[in-house]
Amino acid sequence: MNTLLEKSDRLVNIIDTSFKRYLHNEINWNNRLIGIKGARGTGKTTLILQRLYEIGRSSSEAVYLALDDLYFSSHSFMDTADIFYKKGGKYLFLDEVHKFPGWSQAIKNLYDFYPDLHIVFTGSSIIDIAKEEADLSRRVLMHELFGLSYREFLEFKNGIKLPVISLQEILGATDIRKMLTPEIKPLKHFEEYLSFGYYPFFKDDPPWYHQRLQQLIRIIVEYDMAELRDFDIRNAKKMLQLLSILAENVPFKPNLSKLAEKSNIHRNSMNSYLNYLEQARLINMLYPSGISTTILQKPEKVYLNNSNLASAISINQPDKGNLRETFFLSQLKVSHTIQYPAKGDFMVDGSHTFEIGGKNKTRQQIKEFDSGFIVKDDLEFPAGDAMPLWLFGFLY
C-alpha cells in the first residue's frame, strides 16, 4: 500500500498545471462519483492528476491509483480501497478502470458502502455505462474528454489564451475580431494543427509524433478493443487493414460488399466493425438527416476521427478537402448533433446546413436554405456570408 501512496505523491508533485483542458472547468468536482472516458492520448491521466494537485492533500487522503498497475495482480483492489478509507482516505482517483476485471461492480460497491468517499475514474472511450453489469448509470456523472481543439492547441503550444466561442456567436452578429487580441493571427498555426495538434503528446517529441500515433492506433485496436464484448481480438489485424483502407478513401461512402472484400471481413459483420472503430474514436460516421440510427444501419459517409490520423495513416498526402471536412466534424461533434443533409456537407443540430470548401466555394449547393452557411479554410475572419474554418476550432 505504501508503494502506491508514494507513486501517487510523486506523480502529483511533478504534474504541470500551467495548461488545463476544457473539461477541467466543465466538471462539477463536488459530485461524489465522476467518470471520464476518452480515447488514448487525449490527456485523461493528466486531467485527474491536476485535480489531485488542486485538492492539496497528501496521498493518505487523496490518492491516484492506476488499475493496470502490477500491484493489483497480487493484491485485492477492494481490500486496498478499504484500508485507504479506514486510514482517513477521502478522494480516490482511479485510472484505466476498463483493464480491471469487474471494475464497474467494484466502483458501485465503493460508492454504496463508503458514503463520504469521492471517486473519480477514467477509462477508454469504449466504455458504455448503460451496458455494464453493475448499475452505475444512476450514480455516475459521465464526461468524455476529446482531443485538443484548435483553441486549446494555440494555448498549449504557444501560451496564447483565447476564449471559447459558441456556435451561436459564430453564426450570429458577434464581431469575432473584438473577441481576439489584435496580435492574433488565426491562420498562422492552422495547417500545423491539422497535422500535429489533436493529441497533447505532440509536444513530447514532435519529429516522432506520427510514429507514436501509429503505435497508439495499434494499442487501441490490439489492446483496448479486447474489452468490447462482441469483438474477437483475433481479428485485430483485419481491423487495422480496414482502417488503412478507410484512410485512403475518406470521406468514404461505404459500399459494404466491396469494403468486406478488400478487408477480408464478412459483409454481415462490416457495420459492427465500423461501429467498433467509432467507439474507439478512430473514425466518425455520418448518417442521413431526419432518421434514427442503429448499429445495423449503413452510414452515409465515413471520416477519420480527426485530421492528425489522416497524416499518420495515409500512404499518400491527405486530400485538402478531406482535411477540411474532417476538422469541421471533429470539432462540432464534441457538443453538437451532426448529420448528412440532402444538400450540402453537414447538418448541425437539425437546423443549420454547412458547405465546406476553399476560397472559390459559393452558396450554389445550399442556396435554398435560409440557415445555410459557407465555411472556407482560407479566410482569416468572417466575410459576408462566409465563415472561416479555423473559427470552429474555438467551440471548446
Side-chain angles (χ1 to χ4, degrees):
M1 181 67 179
N2 287 337
T3 301
L4 294 176
L5 298 183
E6 290 172 3
K7 285 182 180 179
S8 178
D9 275 334
R10 185 167 61 251
L11 289 171
V12 172
N13 288 333
I14 64 172
I15 194 67
D16 184 358
T17 60
S18 60
F19 168 75
K20 294 177 182 176
R21 297 297 313 282
Y22 74 96
L23 193 57
H24 190 97
N25 294 326
E26 292 184 4
I27 294 175
N28 180 357
W29 295 104
N30 292 321
N31 281 287
R32 202 161 67 79
L33 181 58
I34 298 168
I36 303 169
K37 68 177 184 176
R40 278 184 178 267
T42 51
K44 300 184 298 295
T45 300
T46 298
L47 178 66
I48 63 173
L49 287 173
Q50 288 176 334
R51 177 56 186 166
L52 258 174
Y53 181 86
E54 280 183 345
I55 291 173
R57 305 198 186 191
S58 69
S59 57
S60 61
E61 292 185 274
V63 69
Y64 165 86
L65 301 177
L67 293 194
D68 58 351
D69 194 302
L70 287 176
Y71 178 90
F72 293 111
S73 64
S74 56
H75 295 80
S76 164
F77 164 64
M78 287 301 295
D79 287 347
T80 302
D82 182 66
I83 293 170
F84 169 72
Y85 178 80
K86 288 177 177 177
K87 289 187 175 182
K90 298 292 184 183
Y91 299 89
L92 194 56
F93 287 75
L94 308 175
D95 206 5
E96 297 291 319
V97 297
H98 61 285
K99 300 309 299 181
F100 184 78
W103 66 269
S104 58
Q105 185 63 54
I107 290 176
K108 176 183 179 296
N109 290 342
L110 289 174
Y111 180 87
D112 290 344
F113 300 145
Y114 303 87
D116 57 342
L117 182 65
H118 290 257
I119 305 166
V120 179
F121 68 87
T122 76
S124 167
S125 58
I126 64 175
I127 286 177
D128 187 344
I129 292 296
K131 293 183 179 179
E132 292 300 323
E133 293 179 2
D135 186 7
L136 288 179
S137 59
R138 293 183 296 105
R139 296 167 171 83
V140 65
L141 187 65
M142 282 298 301
H143 299 271
E144 180 162 2
L145 182 65
F146 293 86
L148 293 170
S149 66
Y150 182 45
R151 181 193 68 84
E152 289 184 300
F153 168 76
L154 292 174
E155 180 179 346
F156 188 44
K157 183 177 185 294
N158 302 305
I160 306 172
K161 290 187 178 293
L162 297 163
V164 170
I165 302 176
S166 70
L167 184 61
Q168 184 178 3
E169 289 172 321
I170 292 175
L171 302 184
T174 305
D175 189 342
I176 300 300
R177 292 175 187 267
K178 290 182 178 180
M179 300 183 71
L180 307 176
T181 54
E183 64 271 16
I184 297 299
K185 303 296 181 185
L187 290 177
K188 183 177 180 181
H189 303 284
F190 190 55
E191 295 296 328
E192 183 181 5
Y193 169 82
L194 293 179
S195 182
F196 288 92
Y198 190 77
Y199 297 92
F201 61 80
F202 78 85
K203 215 173 182 183
D204 297 341
D205 191 2
W208 294 95
Y209 174 73
H210 286 147
Q211 183 171 333
R212 284 192 61 186
L213 191 47
Q214 291 171 3
Q215 293 170 348
L216 184 75
I217 293 166
R218 297 194 73 92
I219 291 172
I220 290 172
V221 173
E222 297 175 350
Y223 185 69
D224 290 349
M225 283 190 176
E227 305 306 313
L228 290 167
R229 292 181 181 177
D230 300 322
F231 179 63
D232 188 342
I233 198 62
R234 291 174 296 181
N235 291 326
K237 185 176 181 180
K238 291 182 180 180
M239 185 68 82
L240 289 169
Q241 187 175 1
L242 172 60
L243 185 61
S244 178
I245 293 168
L246 293 174
E248 292 303 317
N249 293 278
V250 289
F252 185 72
K253 287 196 171 186
N255 181 316
L256 297 189
S257 296
K258 290 184 179 179
L259 198 55
E261 182 180 344
K262 289 182 179 179
S263 61
N264 294 315
I265 296 173
H266 195 281
R267 166 66 175 78
N268 294 342
S269 301
M270 185 55 63
N271 275 335
S272 294
Y273 273 66
L274 291 174
N275 188 62
Y276 296 149
L277 286 174
E278 186 169 52
Q279 287 184 62
R281 302 299 181 253
L282 292 174
I283 66 171
N284 281 322
M285 294 192 288
L286 207 58
Y287 294 92
S289 59
I291 61 172
S292 59
T293 59
T294 69
I295 190 174
L296 298 177
Q297 183 181 345
K298 185 182 79 170
E300 189 67 30
K301 270 191 175 182
V302 177
Y303 293 84
L304 291 177
N305 178 270
N306 61 82
S307 59
N308 288 193
L309 291 176
S311 298
I313 303 174
S314 300
I315 298 174
N316 302 311
Q317 183 73 16
D319 175 72
K320 192 171 183 179
N322 164 34
L323 293 181
R324 293 174 187 141
E325 294 183 26
T326 300
F327 167 79
F328 184 88
L329 180 56
S330 70
Q331 304 294 290
L332 270 291
K333 279 201 75 170
V334 172
S335 54
H336 296 274
T337 300
I338 316 297
Q339 294 175 302
Y340 186 71
K343 293 183 179 180
D345 291 321
F346 301 101
M347 177 173 283
V348 178
D349 297 335
S351 56
H352 305 302
T353 303
F354 292 87
E355 180 75 13
I356 319 297
K359 62 181 180 180
N360 296 321
K361 176 62 67 174
T362 68
R363 287 184 54 86
Q364 181 61 32
Q365 289 180 277
I366 58 171
K367 61 182 180 180
E368 63 191 74
F369 299 106
D370 293 332
S371 188
F373 302 90
I374 298 298
V375 179
K376 298 184 178 182
D377 69 350
D378 59 346
L379 281 184
E380 187 174 22
F381 290 101
D385 61 354
M387 306 289 175
L389 181 62
W390 65 264
L391 188 52
F392 294 87
F394 277 54
L395 289 172
Y396 68 95

